[in-house]
Amino acid sequence: MARTTSVLQRYGSALLLALLPWAVPARTLERGNGPEPSTLDAHRCQEVACGNVLRDLYEGLVTEDAHGRLIPGMAQRWTLSPDGRTWTFHLRDGLRWSNGEALDAPQIVASFRRAFAPATAAPFGELFDALLNAQAVQAGKLPLTALGVSAPDARTVVFRLQRSASLPALLTLPIAFPVYLPAVQRYGAQHTRPGRLVSNGAYRLAAWTPQANLLVEKNPRFHDASGVAIAQVRFHVTEDAAAELQRYAAGDLDLTEVVPPQPLTALRARFGTQLRLSPYLGAFWLGMNLEREPLRDTPQLRRALALAIDRDLLARHVTGLGETPAYGIVPPGIEGYTPAATPWSKATQAQREAQARALYRAAGYSSERPLVIELRYNTSTPHRRLALAVAAMWRQTLGVQVRLRNEEWKVFVQNRRQRAITQVFRGGWIGDVPDARNFLAAFGSDGPLNWTGYDDAGFRQRLARADAAATEAARNAWLHAAETRLLNADAVIPLYYYTSKHLVSDELRGYEANALDRHASRWLSFGEGAR
C-alpha cells in the first residue's frame, strides 16, 4: 500500500491513466484571451488579458460569483464600523497556498504593503486612495507600516479608510490578491514563471508559451476545490479578433474574448444562441482638450460639436453590436446610482442640429470661416470607422473641417496624457468596480488620467461631499450632482455605452452575463455528452 501511494505521488495522473486504459482525459477549456498578458504579477496587472488569468490563479478577501455578485473569498465574513471608516475581515479556516503552505492574515497585510511600495508602482494603486495613507505610502512619503491595513491576529485583517468607499468591490481587483512574497524575494520579476508562481485561487499555473497560450490546472488546495469542475484551462493569445472567430468556428475555442465588427443579423444567423451580447459597464466618449485652442474657453463651440453627432446612427450602423447611445459619463447598471444626462438629451436630432448650428455661428464660425480641428484616435479599424462617421457629421451639419490623426497605442496614450498637442481625442472608461466614482474621479484631479484638463472647484466640492457622505444614498446623490456639472461643462462628448461580445460554446455551462464581463473558470463546466 505504501509502495503504491509513493508511486502515484511520484508519477501522478499520467501513471493512473496508463493503469486504467478505459479512462478518458478530462476536457480542457479553451479560452480566447486577447493580447499576450503583460504580466502575471497581480500587483502590476492593468489590462483585461492578465486580469482574466489572475482571477483563475488567485482569490481576494472578497470575490464574485458567475453573475458578478460579491461573495466571500478568503474572508468568510466582514463587518463595517458605524462611522463607515473601518472594515474588518475574518478569514476562513485552513487557507492554503498552492504549494501547501498555510496562508494567514499577516501574509495578506505584507502583500498589501508590497503592492503599495513605491518600487512596485502598482497602476491601480490610485483606486485605493480612500485607504488610510495609501497615496503617501505609494509616493514614498510614509513608511509601508503606515498603510491603513493591519492583522490583529492570524485570521483577521482590518482596513482603515479616510473616506467612505466600496471596499469589498475594490478587493476583487488583482492588486488586492495575495502575492507569495518568498517567491518574489527569491526570483524577483521571474516569480511569475511556471514552477515558481505560487497562488491561492482555484487554479495554479502549469505552463506559459509566450505569444501562444497559458495553461492553468486545478489547484487541489483551493478551499472550494470540490466545486471546480474543469481540470485545465488554456488561455489563448487572440490579438486578431477576426482570426479568433475563425478558430472558434473551427472548434479550437470554447469561448472567445471578443467578436469582430460584423453585421449583427449575419452573426445571429451564423451562431444563434452562441452569440452573447450584454450590457457592459463602460462608456465611450470623445474628450476635448480644455487647455488649448480652439476648445479652451469656448463652451458654445464644445456644445455645438456635441449636439451635431447623431448617436442613434452611430450605434445602429457604425458600432452595430448592441451598443446604446450615451448622454452621460456613468453607464447604467450601478446599483443605487441614477446616471446623469446632458441637458439636451430629450431633444430630437433635428432640434439638436438646429441648436448646434446656432451655437457654432455664435462662437464665430461659418462657411467662410470654418473650424479646422484634429480628431485623434489609436490605430484600430472600429475607431477609424467611428472617427470617419463623426467627422462626416460635423462636416455635414456645421461645415467643420476635420483632420483625422491615428497613432500607435503607446504614442496615443502618451499624447493624450500630456495634453500638449491634442484637440479632440478618443476617450472613455471601463469600470474597474461598479461605483460611479470610478468613472468621475479622474476629472477631479490633475493626475495622468485627467486627459481633458478639466479644472472645476465646484466639481471637486461635489466629489468631496460624496466622499464624506454618511449613507450610500447621499453619496450617490452627490456623485450624480458631480456628473451633471461635468456634463453641463461639455468637457467630453458621450457617444455610446459598451456591450460585452462573446461566442460561447453550446456545450459550456455556467456562463452568465455580468456588468464587469468577468467570467472566472471555476464557475464553468461542460455539459453531459460534451466531447
Side-chain angles (χ1 to χ4, degrees):
M1 184 64 183
R3 169 69 176 167
T4 303
T5 301
S6 174
V7 170
L8 285 175
Q9 286 176 338
R10 183 176 180 184
Y11 295 103
S13 58
L15 177 61
L16 183 63
L17 288 172
L19 294 173
L20 303 173
W22 59 87
V24 178
R27 178 174 173 181
T28 298
L29 170 62
E30 310 286 352
R31 298 184 61 153
N33 195 47
E36 170 89 351
S38 62
T39 180
L40 287 186
D41 184 335
H43 296 165
R44 292 186 167 120
C45 169
Q46 61 177 328
E47 83 272 352
V48 173
C50 59
N52 288 341
V53 181
L54 290 169
R55 283 189 172 80
D56 273 7
L57 295 176
Y58 288 94
E59 183 183 58
L61 289 163
V62 180
T63 190
E64 298 155 311
D65 67 10
H67 298 271
R69 297 173 296 210
L70 297 180
I71 59 172
M74 287 189 293
Q76 62 182 179
R77 61 186 176 87
W78 53 88
T79 59
L80 176 63
S81 64
D83 66 357
R85 296 295 188 267
T86 302
W87 290 84
T88 303
F89 292 81
H90 303 276
L91 302 188
R92 298 175 185 274
D93 189 21
L95 289 174
R96 296 279 169 184
W97 295 98
S98 58
N99 63 0
E101 295 180 18
L103 170 54
D104 61 16
Q107 293 176 71
I108 295 171
V109 171
S111 177
F112 264 93
R113 289 174 178 169
R114 188 255 181 183
F116 286 86
T120 304
F124 277 1
E126 65 182 68
L127 296 180
F128 280 76
D129 62 334
L131 181 61
L132 183 65
N133 296 330
Q135 291 179 308
V137 169
Q138 195 169 31
K141 297 177 180 176
L142 286 175
L144 297 178
T145 52
L147 190 66
V149 56
S150 60
D153 58 56
R155 291 185 56 191
T156 306
V157 181
V158 177
F159 293 86
R160 288 176 293 147
L161 308 185
Q162 50 203 7
R163 63 167 175 80
S164 62
S166 302
L167 185 64
L170 288 169
L171 295 179
T172 66
L173 297 174
I175 187 177
F177 294 162
V179 167
Y180 183 71
L181 297 184
V184 176
Q185 291 159 2
R186 181 174 182 183
Y187 301 114
Q190 296 301 309
H191 78 274
T192 60
R193 305 308 302 175
R196 296 175 176 176
L197 192 148
V198 178
S199 57
N200 75 321
Y203 292 88
R204 58 190 180 189
L205 184 63
W208 185 351
T209 305
Q211 297 300 326
N213 59 65
L214 297 94
L215 181 68
V216 301
E217 61 186 11
K218 186 174 174 179
N219 174 13
R221 297 185 174 93
F222 180 55
H223 64 81
D224 189 30
S226 62
V228 178
I230 295 178
Q232 289 189 325
V233 183
R234 193 169 0 251
F235 290 87
H236 294 264
V237 175
T238 53
E239 202 153 9
D240 183 335
E244 183 186 40
L245 184 145
Q246 291 176 351
R247 293 178 67 179
Y248 178 85
D252 294 339
L253 299 175
D254 302 300
L255 171 64
T256 68
E257 176 59 15
V258 296
V259 176
Q262 291 190 10
L264 183 55
T265 52
L267 284 171
R268 289 199 188 285
R270 183 179 182 188
F271 294 106
T273 58
Q274 298 173 64
L275 178 63
R276 305 290 187 93
L277 306 178
S278 62
Y280 187 20
L281 204 61
F284 187 105
W285 38 260
L286 296 178
M288 292 186 276
N289 189 339
L290 306 184
E291 296 183 342
R292 294 187 69 239
E293 301 294 349
L295 298 169
R296 182 180 63 190
D297 302 325
T298 53
Q300 293 173 317
L301 178 60
R302 299 200 299 266
R303 177 67 58 89
L305 293 173
L307 287 163
I309 298 174
D310 187 335
R311 290 153 181 78
D312 292 309
L313 206 59
L314 290 180
R316 281 202 311 272
H317 300 296
V318 179
T319 58
L321 286 176
E323 295 84 355
T324 55
Y327 300 93
I329 304 298
V330 182
I334 297 176
E335 185 177 354
Y337 184 78
T338 303
T342 59
W344 42 266
S345 62
K346 301 298 183 185
T348 65
Q349 188 57 33
Q351 290 170 329
R352 293 172 194 165
E353 292 176 4
Q355 187 181 355
R357 285 189 281 269
L359 289 170
Y360 186 70
R361 289 193 296 272
Y365 295 98
S366 64
S367 57
E368 293 75 27
R369 182 178 176 270
L371 171 69
V372 179
I373 200 164
E374 288 186 353
L375 172 53
R376 192 175 302 267
Y377 59 94
N378 57 296
T379 303
S380 145
T381 300
H383 294 159
R384 175 171 172 75
R385 293 178 61 191
L386 188 82
L388 285 168
V390 168
M393 292 174 183
W394 282 345
R395 182 175 62 251
Q396 182 174 344
T397 303
L398 303 174
V400 174
Q401 297 179 9
V402 182
R403 296 170 181 162
L404 299 182
R405 294 282 186 264
N406 71 294
E407 296 172 331
E408 184 271 333
W409 173 246
K410 290 184 179 178
V411 175
F412 170 77
V413 168
Q414 182 177 11
N415 285 332
R416 186 173 63 175
R417 181 173 60 241
Q418 292 177 341
R419 308 194 298 253
I421 64 172
T422 53
Q423 292 182 331
V424 182
F425 53 87
R426 178 233 163 184
W429 194 261
I430 301 296
D432 303 298
V433 292
D435 182 357
R437 193 182 193 282
N438 186 232
F439 290 83
L440 301 172
F443 297 97
S445 74
D446 192 35
L449 298 180
N450 187 358
W451 307 318
T452 67
Y454 180 64
D455 179 11
D456 177 58
F459 177 81
R460 290 192 292 274
Q461 182 186 45
R462 286 160 176 76
L463 277 187
R465 297 292 294 269
D467 292 345
T471 67
E472 196 64 18
R475 179 175 184 270
N476 281 326
W478 280 112
L479 290 174
H480 178 91
E483 184 186 6
T484 300
R485 189 173 180 89
L486 177 61
L487 291 170
N488 287 343
D490 292 297
V492 301
I493 304 175
L495 293 185
Y496 65 82
Y497 298 123
Y498 282 93
T499 55
S500 64
K501 319 164 185 70
H502 301 281
L503 290 167
V504 183
S505 167
D506 285 336
E507 297 176 338
L508 199 58
R509 304 286 184 267
Y511 176 93
E512 301 288 346
N514 60 73
L516 292 176
D517 198 28
R518 294 172 182 166
H519 308 280
S521 302
R522 65 179 285 199
W523 308 117
L524 303 176
S525 63
F526 288 108
E528 293 183 10
R531 61 181 168 78

